[in-house]
Amino acid sequence: MAEASGPNTYTLQVVKEHNKSDDLWIVIDGKVYDVTKFRHEHPGGEDALDEVAGRDATTEFNDVGHSQEAKEMLKKYYIGDLAGGSVIAKASVSTPPPPTEQATTPPPPTETPATDATINDGEKVVPPQKQCCILA
C-alpha cells in the first residue's frame, strides 16, 4: 500500500514566476493558491489579484476583511504550501523594530566661574555675586 504524500511545497521564487493574469499564484498564510481561473470572478475585480500576483498576499487579504465564505472558497484553489511557511510571519519575527528616536536634552549651560575681582581700567571691581553689601 502506497503512502499518501503530503501537499506540494513551493519556494517563494517559484511562486514569483506565476505573476501574470493567465498564470496567477498567490500565498496566503503560508499556503499557495493558483487563482488564475478565479481572477475573472473575483468580486474585488481582476486588478486586486493582479496587484498581488506571484507574492505573499496575506496582509492584503486580511486587511480587506474577507468573509468566512471567501476563506472557504480559497480551499478550491489551494495547490500546496510555501516552503518555510509564511513570508509575512517570518518578516515580523526576524525584522527588528525600527529604531526609536530618543529625545536629547541639551546639557545645562556651563557657567564661567567668577573670579574674586576683575580689572576695569586699572581699578579693582568685585563682581555682583561676590559683593556683601551695596555702597551708595
Side-chain angles (χ1 to χ4, degrees), residues 20-24 36 39:
K20 296 172 185 58
S21 60
D22 61 341
D23 182 21
L24 200 157
T36 308
R39 185 176 170 271

Side-chain angles (χ1 to χ4, degrees), residues 12-28 32-36 39 42 45-58 60-61:
L12 189 57
Q13 187 59 41
V14 169
V15 173
K16 286 179 180 182
E17 294 171 7
H18 300 272
N19 63 356
K20 296 172 185 58
S21 60
D22 61 341
D23 182 21
L24 200 157
W25 292 10
I26 60 173
V27 176
I28 298 174
V32 181
Y33 301 92
D34 180 350
V35 292
T36 308
R39 185 176 170 271
H42 187 256
E46 297 171 357
D47 290 342
L49 290 177
D50 291 346
E51 289 176 13
V52 295
R55 65 183 186 87
D56 193 316
T58 303
E60 290 83 355
F61 185 83

Side-chain angles (χ1 to χ4, degrees), residues 79-117:
I79 59 171
D81 293 329
L82 184 66
S86 174
V87 174
I88 301 300
K90 283 185 171 192
S92 63
V93 170
S94 63
T95 304
T100 57
E101 291 186 31
Q102 295 179 354
T104 56
T105 54
T110 55
E111 294 182 20
T112 307
T115 57
D116 285 340

